[in-house]
Structure formats: structure tokens, C-alpha cells
Amino acid sequence: MPITVNGRAVSPPADARVSLLDFLREDLGQSGAKKGCNQGACGACTVLLDGERILACLTLAVQCEGRHVTTIEGIGQPGALHPLQQAFVDHDGFQCGYCTPGQICSAIGMAAELRRGVPSHVTGDLVTDVIALSDDELRERMSGNLCRCGAYNGMVAAIEEIFGEAKA
């Protein structure tokens, strides 16, 4: 069963031991997802699987058969950036840029979690269907994505601009 990567159906790797990250980068040439720690601790490899954020380094490619994978390459293009990508540029939400693809994919997945009412560790009201994107919620939900340069203030501003308040 094929895997749909950024809207294109591709055959899964023959070797069932190949991680999604290696499959994306080495077999498909999708280099946006980065290999940081390769242990699921830094979030640099974050991609969307059926709209939910996952760590590609901890996911086997064969687990994605019949599913839709979206990488940063599938989110926006030069000249047609996703609004969050543009906000990262506008708010200087990156320095070296290594973590940026994972940060953006994670933020998009985070916004979808908020829309579905998925609580985080800091959510106070666990029975509400609507969770506001407070500063604490944003920082908790994005805590799995690390930035070695410390560009967090710009990232937070960009995410708040796009997904804050009624936009979440």
C-alpha cells in the first residue's frame, strides 16, 4: 500500500526497518525534516501524519502505509509560503534554521490539537471543548521542539500571530 507524501503516492521501502525520517531524506530527497538527535528528543524531524505531528526518527516508514505524510516541503513553497512560514520570517523566528521545519510542522499539528480540544499538561479545564492558546499552552505544547540558537521569542510571536486567540 503506498504512502502519500506531500500529495504524491510513493511505494514504501522494501526494508521494514527504515525510519520514516531516513525514507523521506534518503529515498525521496525530502530534506526538510532534519536528523537532530535521532532519538526523539529534539523535534527537528517533526512531520505531520494524517495531520498529527509525529517524530519521523521514531516512526517506521512502513507504519505510514495508506496514510498521508506532510513535510515542510508540502506546507509551502518559495513564493507561496504558508502563513506560519511567513510569520516566522516576519518575526525572525529562526537563526540557523535547522529546527525551523520541525517547529513549523509541530505548530501546525499543535493548532489542530487545540481545535480538537486535546488537553496538554497545563490545560486547567479538562472538560472544555475549546482550549485557548495561552502563553503557557503554547510553550508546553511546543516544548518537544528544541532550538539550539534560542530563537524562541520570535517563534512564539509567529505562532501567536497565526494561531492565537480565535484563530486556534
Side-chain angles (χ1 to χ4, degrees):
M1 185 176 299
I3 302 169
T4 303
V5 178
N6 298 328
R8 184 178 67 131
V10 297
S11 297
D15 186 344
R17 300 169 297 175
V18 174
S19 73
L20 177 60
L21 179 61
D22 287 341
F23 179 63
L24 292 170
R25 292 182 57 81
E26 296 172 15
D27 294 354
L28 302 181
Q30 301 290 301
S31 59
K34 301 295 189 260
K35 185 176 276 191
C37 67
N38 206 29
Q39 300 175 1
C42 74
C45 65
T46 304
V47 298
L48 300 170
L49 179 63
D50 294 334
E52 295 188 28
R53 54 188 173 167
I54 63 162
L55 299 171
C57 72
L58 297 182
T59 305
L60 295 174
V62 295
Q63 292 176 289
C64 302
E65 288 184 4
R67 302 178 76 183
H68 295 264
V69 175
T70 304
T71 68
I72 194 70
E73 291 91 345
I75 290 176
Q77 300 294 319
L81 297 179
H82 182 282
L84 185 57
Q85 290 174 313
Q86 186 60 54
F88 265 62
V89 172
D90 294 344
H91 292 281
D92 200 18
F94 57 92
Q95 288 182 10
C96 80
Y98 195 81
C99 71
T100 305
Q103 299 277 1
I104 289 173
C105 286
S106 187
I108 290 171
M110 173 200 68
E113 291 169 6
L114 286 170
R115 283 191 298 270
R116 292 193 316 267
V118 177
S120 76
H121 181 69
V122 299
T123 303
D125 184 357
L126 298 178
V127 295
T128 185
D129 292 335
V130 179
I131 300 171
L133 183 60
S134 67
D135 193 57
D136 286 346
E137 282 285 349
L138 191 158
R139 292 179 188 278
E140 169 62 20
R141 290 175 186 269
M142 293 298 294
S143 65
N145 290 78
L146 304 178
C147 172
R148 292 168 182 84
C149 302
Y152 294 115
N153 290 337
M155 293 176 197
V156 167
I159 294 167
E160 285 177 338
E161 176 188 320
I162 302 303
F163 298 123
E165 304 244 346
K167 296 176 184 173

